[in-house]
Amino acid sequence: MPHLETLDRPLIEASQLARLQLGLARMLPTNRFYQEKFAGKESPFLERLADLAHMPFTDKRELVADQAAHPLFGSNLTFPLSDYIRLHQTSGTTGQPLKILDTQESWDWWGDCWTTVYRGAGVTRDDTVFLAFGFGPFIGFWSAYEGAKKLGALTVPGGGMDSLQRLRTIQEIGATVLVCTPSYALRLAEVAQEHGMNMRGSTVLVTIHAGEPGASIPATRRRIEDAWGATTFDHAGMTEMGAFGYSCSEQRGLHVNEAEFIAEILDPSNGKPVQEGQAGELVLTNLGRWGSPAIRYRTGDLVRHGGYHCNCGRTFLHLPGGILGRVDDMLIVRGINVYPSALADVLHRFPAVTEYRVIVTREGSMDEVALEVECPPHLVTDIQEELRSALHLRIPIESVEPGTLPRFELKAKRVEDRRKQL
Ligand SMILES: [Zn+2]
């Protein structure tokens, strides 16, 4: 399965079409959600991959509404409830969480998708993988745990521990791979420093990051790599979709695992596919989770189409810079597009910056952005200057005392949107 990743594009696309046709044939006789969605459409059994573009989208709001209308788990289920063995929830901080079920087959599929992530990062069965997160109902790291088992690596769950206990465990067992969010890798390094521990010299050689963008933001990645003396890899996945993105030795962003997902990148303004080099919304179809399928799912993630060539030899779609942010988070400040990841890239160039917060307000019909940054006050002018040359914008910055802004273990929420309060 992983070895599709270096084949010529027509072979990859032929495999995608065959998987999609088989999956639709299996799913449609019993899945009420997609039966209703495809009702009145021409034959949903596609003849060409390009026909997928005529199928309707699926989005999160729809799935949430479906679960409200058909409690507990909604109607997007292909098999009897007794076939499902895992329940996870989305970690979204707003709105009703979505409950997603997996069968034994689809849970194996999640594990296989994660072995692709590990292989991309050069992790093998000889590694010891430490997972630094709380093991709640959020799927990301559970699937990382399952994938490490499939790889044959020794796997250590770091749930129920505080940061110091996690650091001590990493040292004690000689973990070689750390899996956590990028924000939390930096937080662990901060705690290590407070306790006089040197993680640069630790046994950790590889860090893999999930849950939020960061490992594909050059300055953030360098900061994690410096703190841990390790090579840092990115990964992207979603509860409702699967573990779809992984990075390779080139560290230039993400590849989409096109053995298991069909990716489209669409211009949010008109729904048309973007050209190579352009950014748009990532729309995904999963090919291996027919118990809880997602056809043309609007991820809400903004990505750039990077073509199909990479020096690593993979021919899977490349997303330079990884996930650039949420489509909704893209701000237009005085006519200039500003992605939160671009702000992180500048701020993380300053070693004295420990944490920051982006405040978004609206003046008239215009969005405005200001920053609160944990840094010495004398740095403010330098940061402002660096932001101005990177983004061509003058952004007001207030320096705040170190340790005063929130810290995050799972998804960091650094953008505070005050537009709605106005
Ligand atoms: Zn590559």
Side-chain angles (χ1 to χ4, degrees), residues 223-355:
R223 177 176 275 219
I224 298 170
E225 290 186 326
D226 278 353
W228 285 90
T231 310
T232 288
F233 295 86
D234 198 6
H235 157 65
M238 295 178 88
T239 309
E240 53 281 44
M241 176 49 61
F244 64 83
Y246 64 105
S247 57
C248 65
S249 52
E250 295 295 306
Q251 292 181 294
R252 299 185 305 137
L254 292 166
H255 284 287
V256 174
N257 180 353
E258 290 185 279
E260 302 302 327
F261 301 88
I262 298 171
E264 301 168 80
I265 305 175
L266 304 180
D267 183 334
S269 65
N270 60 19
K272 298 244 163 61
V274 301
Q275 301 294 311
E276 191 172 326
Q278 291 178 331
E281 182 180 0
L282 182 64
V283 172
L284 290 171
T285 296
N286 73 41
L287 296 174
R289 203 192 196 187
W290 294 103
S292 300
I295 311 287
R296 300 197 87 205
Y297 188 75
R298 300 189 67 148
T299 64
D301 284 333
L302 196 68
V303 297
R304 192 175 300 284
H305 192 312
Y308 304 99
H309 174 77
C310 183
N311 289 336
C312 74
R314 289 177 179 84
T315 47
F316 282 176
L317 174 65
H318 176 226
L319 308 176
I323 307 291
L324 303 173
R326 302 289 297 163
V327 173
D328 298 344
D329 281 350
M330 194 190 74
L331 301 163
I332 302 174
V333 180
R334 282 163 260 152
I336 293 173
N337 291 354
V338 179
Y339 305 118
S341 59
L343 296 171
D345 191 22
V346 171
L347 289 163
H348 281 158
R349 292 175 200 170
F350 294 86
V353 171
T354 42
E355 207 26 277

Side-chain angles (χ1 to χ4, degrees), residues 102-373:
D102 277 290
T103 61
Q104 183 65 60
E105 182 192 24
S106 66
W107 191 241
D108 278 347
W109 172 82
W110 266 96
D112 287 336
C113 292
W114 257 95
T115 62
T116 302
V117 179
Y118 286 123
R119 289 200 183 95
V123 178
T124 72
R125 64 192 302 277
D126 297 327
D127 279 296
T128 298
V129 179
F130 186 83
L131 295 114
F133 97 110
F135 284 87
F138 175 57
I139 203 167
F141 298 95
W142 282 107
S143 48
Y145 190 74
E146 185 65 25
K149 184 189 88 176
K150 288 201 157 225
L151 197 67
L154 182 62
T155 314
V156 187
M161 294 181 184
D162 64 23
S163 297
L164 187 57
Q165 288 167 326
R166 285 174 175 154
L167 289 162
R168 288 191 173 134
T169 308
I170 288 167
Q171 284 188 327
E172 191 192 358
I173 60 169
T176 52
V177 180
L178 170 67
V179 182
C180 62
T181 65
S183 301
Y184 192 62
L186 292 172
R187 173 64 187 151
L188 279 175
E190 198 180 34
V191 173
Q193 202 172 29
E194 284 162 19
H195 290 84
M197 297 164 86
N198 172 19
M199 299 322 282
R200 255 192 89 72
S202 77
T203 47
V204 174
L205 299 174
V206 165
T207 70
I208 301 177
H209 301 293
E212 56 177 28
S216 287
I217 301 171
T220 310
R221 189 180 71 228
R222 272 196 299 277
R223 177 176 275 219
I224 298 170
E225 290 186 326
D226 278 353
W228 285 90
T231 310
T232 288
F233 295 86
D234 198 6
H235 157 65
M238 295 178 88
T239 309
E240 53 281 44
M241 176 49 61
F244 64 83
Y246 64 105
S247 57
C248 65
S249 52
E250 295 295 306
Q251 292 181 294
R252 299 185 305 137
L254 292 166
H255 284 287
V256 174
N257 180 353
E258 290 185 279
E260 302 302 327
F261 301 88
I262 298 171
E264 301 168 80
I265 305 175
L266 304 180
D267 183 334
S269 65
N270 60 19
K272 298 244 163 61
V274 301
Q275 301 294 311
E276 191 172 326
Q278 291 178 331
E281 182 180 0
L282 182 64
V283 172
L284 290 171
T285 296
N286 73 41
L287 296 174
R289 203 192 196 187
W290 294 103
S292 300
I295 311 287
R296 300 197 87 205
Y297 188 75
R298 300 189 67 148
T299 64
D301 284 333
L302 196 68
V303 297
R304 192 175 300 284
H305 192 312
Y308 304 99
H309 174 77
C310 183
N311 289 336
C312 74
R314 289 177 179 84
T315 47
F316 282 176
L317 174 65
H318 176 226
L319 308 176
I323 307 291
L324 303 173
R326 302 289 297 163
V327 173
D328 298 344
D329 281 350
M330 194 190 74
L331 301 163
I332 302 174
V333 180
R334 282 163 260 152
I336 293 173
N337 291 354
V338 179
Y339 305 118
S341 59
L343 296 171
D345 191 22
V346 171
L347 289 163
H348 281 158
R349 292 175 200 170
F350 294 86
V353 171
T354 42
E355 207 26 277
Y356 65 94
R357 178 154 62 188
V358 183
I359 313 280
V360 186
T361 53
R362 179 161 290 164
E363 289 178 21
S365 59
M366 306 284 277
D367 289 338
E368 282 296 333
V369 168
L371 291 168
E372 290 174 348
V373 181

